Amino acid sequence: MVGSFTLQTISGVLIRESRQKVLWEARLYAEQLQRTVVRIASSLDALASSNLAGAGEAKLLLERLDDLRNKNIGVVQAWVAYPNGAIIASSNAKVTKIRNRPFWKDFLSGKYPVEFFPGFFLWETGTIVSAPFKDSGSGSALVTLISIVLKGSKPLRVGGLDLDVSKAVSDDTGKSVNWVWNKAPVNIYSLEGLLIASPLEESRGAVVGLRDDSKRPLVQYFLEHPQEGQGTLFYEEDGEKWVGAFVKDSSLGMVITVVRPSEYLLLPMRRVMTVFVMVAILFIAVASILTAFGYSKEIEIRELKYRNKKAELRALQAYINPHFLFNALSRICSLANPRDYHLIPRAIKAIAEIFRYVTKNAGSLVTLREELECVRNYVAIQKLRFGDKFTYHEVVPKELLDATVLKFSVQPLIENCFVHAVEETLEPVEIRLVVERDGNYLKIKVEDNGPGFEPEKLEELQKMLRNATENSRKASPEWTSKIGILNTHYRLYLMYGGFSGITLKQEDGFTVVVATLPFVPASEKTSRPS
């Protein structure tokens, strides 16, 4: 009786763990799918919102559209459409077919209200993801990403691209965590149970896009439970037993499924059942370890890698605020002496503006104008402390002031000048801030003519910047002491992807730090449908 009860307990534990493992894996792939689509949608969004697209310069815009397609695996073709009927498309695009699509045709003729574009709203970018359709040429399932640029309620232009989801998620060029989609039993379906992507199956041969899999047990299960965002199922198919899990993504209109043979997952249970009942309880833990080790060691590594990145974006953003405010308060404390006490009211006013900036702008994105106001208040505090020991100059074109930037992406770079230049020399230091646009990217350059770094130290810092996107960060003294540059670099990478971040060099007697991020005008960005 005891033995039977114990084995039932072991069986229950392992079955629950098997369900959890498969669901865990499905969640990871669902998060990676969304991250991939968001990255590509952000590129489309930036291009559609650009002044280049606004001006309708066909030759330059065509180059940017080709660049968008070439740099993002899975993008079949891209274009920008205008209400007057003009379409500027990538060099491989079939403009006639684009014109013949119902919703594009209605938009171009002025008959179709923008707010009724069919599809799913991707909140992170304000982009619309269409329902999947079959490409008449390749037979693959595609989706269209649509970025609408408005002025009030009037559409100025619409950017679009066709995306082969299967190729996009299988991208192994290093832009994101390598999930080995074509080696894992993961499928992507529409909410109606039509197959959008099956990288593993496609690696073994051609797969018909939008194949109706609604009769397969796991697909049938999520179709019968439309209110459930995720779930697991033990079932039998083709004479074999399986454990499956699904996760729905309502912002993409897609369902991610993962299926594993139950034999593969429950093998540790059979091993445990051969052992004496007296030690069966101990083997509950042993079986769990065997299951985890035999099935998900690689998945856990990938999961930790991705989870760390996702958590670090929030943690680093939260850390930079108190780090910055603590330093600012320290500057005020340094004024509490008989010679400088009369300067404290001005410093308090400056730091009050900084506190207002921190508390008012709760999100992670602000305009460049807002970020520079924070920088100027910070410089004002430092001016009270150092007087004529430094000069500060800005070169910022007015048309870039409304660009969207990551909050606290500029101030730490200015702070770095004080920590490693002004405080390290008796000579006056010149600090310069230059902002310029380079195509679809914003370049924020901060430079100073302080003592700079020894060659070995410079090489070490450059190596840390290169490795910051490859290795998990540890709370080491090196990390905390250089939080300004490394924190900003890592946050930019996490927010915008591999083309963004910080570079560091020394030239012509200046230490030059350059932050690169996508150029997105806030004025047009905030006018998108919500």
Side-chain angles (χ1 to χ4, degrees):
M1 181 68 71
V2 174
S4 176
F5 173 77
T6 303
L7 292 175
Q8 288 177 6
T9 302
I10 296 172
S11 177
V13 168
L14 290 174
I15 288 174
R16 286 195 300 272
E17 183 167 325
S18 297
R19 288 179 181 271
Q20 184 60 38
K21 292 293 183 182
V22 180
L23 182 58
W24 178 27
E25 189 177 5
R27 286 173 181 166
L28 298 180
Y29 280 103
E31 290 181 5
Q32 176 63 3
L33 169 63
Q34 183 170 95
R35 180 171 177 174
T36 298
V37 177
V38 166
R39 171 174 55 81
I40 296 173
S42 297
S43 299
L44 172 66
D45 205 44
L47 181 56
S49 301
S50 68
N51 293 335
L52 184 64
E57 299 179 14
K59 183 177 180 180
L60 292 176
L61 186 54
L62 186 148
E63 292 178 359
R64 298 301 185 195
L65 289 165
D66 281 340
D67 189 53
L68 170 64
R69 181 174 61 87
N70 293 331
K71 288 184 177 179
N72 294 279
I73 293 178
V75 175
V76 178
Q77 58 183 359
W79 62 90
V80 178
Y82 299 86
N84 64 1
I87 294 180
I88 301 175
S90 56
S91 56
N92 71 320
K94 299 176 180 178
V95 177
T96 302
K97 290 187 176 181
I98 296 173
R99 290 184 186 278
N100 290 333
R101 294 185 185 180
F103 53 91
W104 284 111
K105 194 173 182 180
D106 290 337
F107 165 74
L108 294 171
S109 64
K111 298 177 181 179
Y112 206 93
V114 170
E115 57 266 28
F116 294 128
F117 263 64
F120 304 90
F121 192 71
L122 191 59
W123 294 100
E124 289 84 349
T125 61
T127 308
I128 297 174
V129 182
S130 78
F133 62 94
K134 185 186 296 187
D135 181 38
S136 58
S138 66
S140 301
L142 308 179
V143 296
T144 299
L145 305 187
I146 303 167
S147 178
I148 307 170
V149 180
L150 301 172
K151 185 174 183 180
S153 59
K154 179 182 177 182
L156 298 178
R157 55 192 173 275
V158 174
L161 63 82
D162 289 340
L163 181 66
D164 186 324
V165 177
S166 183
K167 291 182 178 178
V169 296
S170 299
D171 179 7
D172 60 356
T173 57
K175 296 177 184 176
S176 57
V177 178
N178 184 4
W179 293 77
V180 201
W181 284 73
N182 59 356
K183 296 182 181 179
V186 55
N187 288 348
I188 302 173
Y189 290 98
S190 70
L191 297 178
E192 296 75 30
L194 303 178
L195 183 66
I196 297 175
S198 181
L200 177 60
E201 191 176 349
E202 290 168 25
S203 69
R204 299 169 178 170
V207 176
V208 178
L210 298 186
R211 184 182 67 201
D212 186 356
D213 281 359
S214 59
K215 300 303 181 182
R216 301 192 66 177
L218 184 59
V219 177
Q220 188 174 16
Y221 181 80
F222 76 66
L223 290 175
E224 292 174 351
H225 299 80
Q227 302 304 318
E228 295 184 12
Q230 61 183 36
T232 60
L233 181 69
F234 273 87
Y235 64 93
E236 187 171 337
E237 185 180 27
D238 299 329
E240 295 187 39
K241 295 182 179 179
W242 305 87
V243 185
F246 72 89
V247 174
K248 294 180 181 177
D249 189 326
S250 58
S251 65
L252 299 178
M254 300 180 192
V255 183
I256 295 81
T257 67
V258 173
V259 175
R260 294 282 186 181
S262 61
E263 184 78 12
Y264 182 58
L265 294 170
L266 299 177
L267 183 59
M269 183 185 72
R270 294 190 174 183
R271 293 175 179 173
V272 171
M273 291 176 68
T274 65
V275 182
F276 294 105
V277 173
M278 294 300 293
V279 294
I281 295 177
L282 175 61
F283 269 79
I284 294 176
V286 174
S288 297
I289 295 172
L290 287 173
T291 301
F293 182 82
Y295 162 68
S296 63
K297 183 177 180 180
E298 181 183 354
I299 298 171
E300 287 175 1
I301 293 173
R302 298 201 305 266
E303 191 273 349
L304 287 174
K305 195 173 181 181
Y306 178 75
R307 293 279 186 183
N308 282 344
K309 288 189 175 185
K310 188 173 182 181
E312 280 174 4
L313 178 58
R314 297 192 182 99
L316 294 175
Q317 180 70 58
Y319 183 71
I320 195 69
N321 291 351
H323 171 83
F324 164 65
L325 294 174
F326 174 82
N327 286 349
L329 289 170
S330 297
R331 303 293 179 260
I332 292 179
C333 289
S334 70
L335 300 175
N337 59 71
R339 185 187 65 183
D340 299 324
Y341 74 93
H342 64 283
L343 300 175
I344 291 179
R346 291 167 58 189
I348 290 177
K349 182 179 180 181
I351 201 170
E353 292 298 323
I354 294 171
F355 269 107
R356 183 176 290 111
Y357 176 70
V358 171
T359 56
K360 179 181 178 181
N361 300 295
S364 60
L365 297 177
V366 295
T367 64
L368 179 61
R369 187 190 308 275
E370 293 170 312
E371 179 72 2
L372 292 182
E373 281 298 318
C374 176
V375 167
R376 291 167 191 145
N377 283 316
Y378 176 79
V379 171
I381 294 173
Q382 297 288 30
K383 197 68 177 175
L384 294 174
R385 179 187 177 192
F386 293 107
D388 295 331
K389 195 177 176 183
F390 76 94
T391 58
Y392 172 73
H393 303 286
E394 286 182 3
V395 180
V396 185
K398 291 183 179 180
E399 62 268 22
L400 300 181
L401 289 173
D402 290 327
T404 299
V405 300
L406 189 62
K407 189 176 180 181
F408 283 107
S409 58
V410 182
Q411 182 278 330
L413 308 185
I414 298 295
E415 182 178 354
N416 188 70
C417 296
F418 289 94
V419 174
H420 296 288
V422 179
E423 295 181 2
E424 295 295 322
T425 181
L426 297 177
E427 299 296 325
V429 174
E430 180 183 359
I431 301 173
R432 297 195 298 233
L433 170 65
V434 180
V435 182
E436 57 189 9
R437 183 171 172 195
D438 183 10
N440 292 333
Y441 290 90
L442 198 66
K443 301 281 189 179
I444 302 173
K445 180 166 67 174
V446 175
E447 53 188 17
D448 68 78
N449 63 345
F453 300 100
E454 294 295 329
E456 296 80 9
K457 196 66 175 179
L458 178 64
E459 184 178 352
E460 177 192 359
L461 287 171
Q462 291 172 332
K463 182 178 180 181
M464 293 177 73
L465 287 170
R466 289 193 299 269
N467 293 340
T469 58
E470 299 173 5
N471 303 317
S472 299
R473 295 264 56 95
K474 298 180 180 179
S476 64
E478 284 186 320
W479 167 250
T480 54
S481 66
K482 303 175 183 67
I483 187 170
I485 291 181
L486 292 180
N487 183 299
T488 305
H489 175 66
Y490 207 44
R491 289 189 298 125
L492 287 172
Y493 170 77
L494 292 174
M495 176 63 73
Y496 300 113
F499 291 98
S500 300
I502 299 290
T503 58
L504 171 65
K505 62 181 179 180
Q506 291 184 163
E507 61 179 11
D508 300 328
F510 281 80
T511 299
V512 182
V513 179
V514 180
T516 303
L517 62 156
F519 173 74
V520 180
S523 57
E524 294 182 351
K525 178 72 174 177
T526 54
S527 298
R528 300 188 187 287
S530 58

